[in-house]
Amino acid sequence: MHIRIINPNTTAGMTETIGNAASRIAAPGTHVSATQPDAGPVSIESHFDEAISAVGVLEEVLAGEKAEVDAYVLACFGDPGLLAARELTRAPVIGIAEAAFHMATLVSTRFSIVTTLGRTGIIAEHLLEQYGFRHHCRRVRAAEIPVLDLEEDGDAALVRIIDECRRARDEDGIGAIVLGCGGMADLTDSISREVGLPVIEGVTAAVKLAEALVGLGLGTSKHGDLAFPRPKAFTGRFEGFSHLTPTR
């Protein structure tokens, strides 16, 4: 089984962190590869960043189709380009926010999200509504750290995240915490030890869900809105998307 982790931003260190976390959690026999777009934002902290990064995500899925990847994980908590990516493949495509929400509801009746910035917390609230998990989430909290601080000042960032997780535990009436950034993929054990609650992180959760879907023989439905896009001409910088045809 080959699972491809797509980091929608272009920071190589974060791609490596995400890939290593995914490889550690994967079952024996599961091959994990981690990629990132050639162009786009170095971090994703806004709707604008997400819109730009989504094109790179789609290019990475198309490349994965040629390599016969069995499942894809989109390793940004905004799940940028998720439904469009599902249109391009029969393989499962899992966003890390969606995966984390599902896992959290299996081990608790209420959870809080701890993310990086307040503005990205609002994006997480939109996803909770979209995915139908709003009534499970008590609060979306922000440690107010830029995403790249996870790479550049990791120790200080971890302290702030743990402090916010403790406040969530003590104030929110929850049973679990969801970490709201793909760059936190390697922090679950440290935070759980300090906070004493189950801590769910989306990259590793998505890997296990991907393994389950592939093992069950379940792929993305090609009936209805997730059917392959209708072939058509694209112009200018998107000319390479013209007349797309399924490769498998």
Side-chain angles (χ1 to χ4, degrees):
M1 186 187 306
H2 180 186
I3 298 176
R4 175 151 293 177
I5 315 297
I6 301 173
N7 172 21
N9 74 41
T10 59
T11 296
M14 191 166 292
T15 302
E16 182 178 4
T17 296
I18 289 167
N20 289 340
S23 295
R24 284 194 296 270
I25 203 70
T30 296
H31 170 61
V32 173
S33 61
T35 66
Q36 66 187 51
D38 292 332
V42 296
S43 62
I44 299 173
E45 298 171 316
S46 66
H47 298 291
F48 178 78
D49 294 343
E50 286 190 5
I52 299 299
S53 68
V55 175
V57 166
L58 302 181
E59 291 172 337
E60 291 301 315
V61 170
L62 290 172
E65 289 300 277
K66 295 177 182 178
E68 298 188 348
V69 169
D70 295 302
Y72 300 87
V73 171
L74 304 189
C76 169
F77 205 76
D79 293 352
L82 176 59
L83 294 180
R86 285 177 175 160
E87 289 182 341
L88 297 180
T89 179
R90 296 182 189 274
V93 183
I94 302 175
I96 64 171
E98 188 175 26
F101 299 159
H102 277 288
M103 289 295 198
T105 62
L106 297 178
V107 298
S108 65
T109 59
R110 294 289 185 271
F111 63 86
S112 285
I113 299 170
V114 175
T115 188
T116 49
L117 298 173
R119 66 181 297 164
T120 59
I122 297 170
I123 295 173
E125 291 175 355
H126 293 322
L127 291 181
L128 288 164
E129 294 283 355
Q130 178 181 332
Y131 296 152
F133 288 100
R134 192 66 189 92
H135 64 290
H136 291 283
C137 182
R138 294 300 297 268
R139 188 168 176 180
V140 180
R141 293 173 167 269
E144 296 300 349
I145 53 174
V147 168
L148 291 184
D149 277 12
L150 295 165
E151 293 292 309
E152 298 167 359
D153 194 7
D155 291 342
L158 178 59
V159 169
R160 295 189 67 169
I161 294 165
I162 289 173
D163 285 345
E164 199 61 42
C165 288
R166 287 196 181 106
R167 282 190 282 272
R169 175 197 62 195
D170 296 341
E171 299 172 9
D172 296 353
I174 57 171
I177 291 170
V178 167
L179 299 181
C181 179
M184 299 179 186
D186 59 345
L187 302 182
T188 51
D189 290 343
S190 298
I191 296 171
S192 187
R193 281 195 301 269
E194 293 292 331
V195 178
L197 293 180
V199 176
I200 298 94
E201 180 281 316
V203 172
T204 48
V207 167
K208 303 313 287 186
L209 286 176
E211 287 178 334
L213 288 171
V214 174
L216 289 167
L218 294 174
T220 299
S221 174
K222 293 294 114 183
H223 292 272
D225 65 318
L226 295 182
F228 291 109
R230 296 181 63 192
K232 66 183 64 177
F234 284 71
T235 62
R237 72 180 68 179
F238 300 115
E239 187 175 358
F241 291 126
S242 293
H243 306 297
L244 288 176
T245 55
T247 58
R248 55 180 172 144

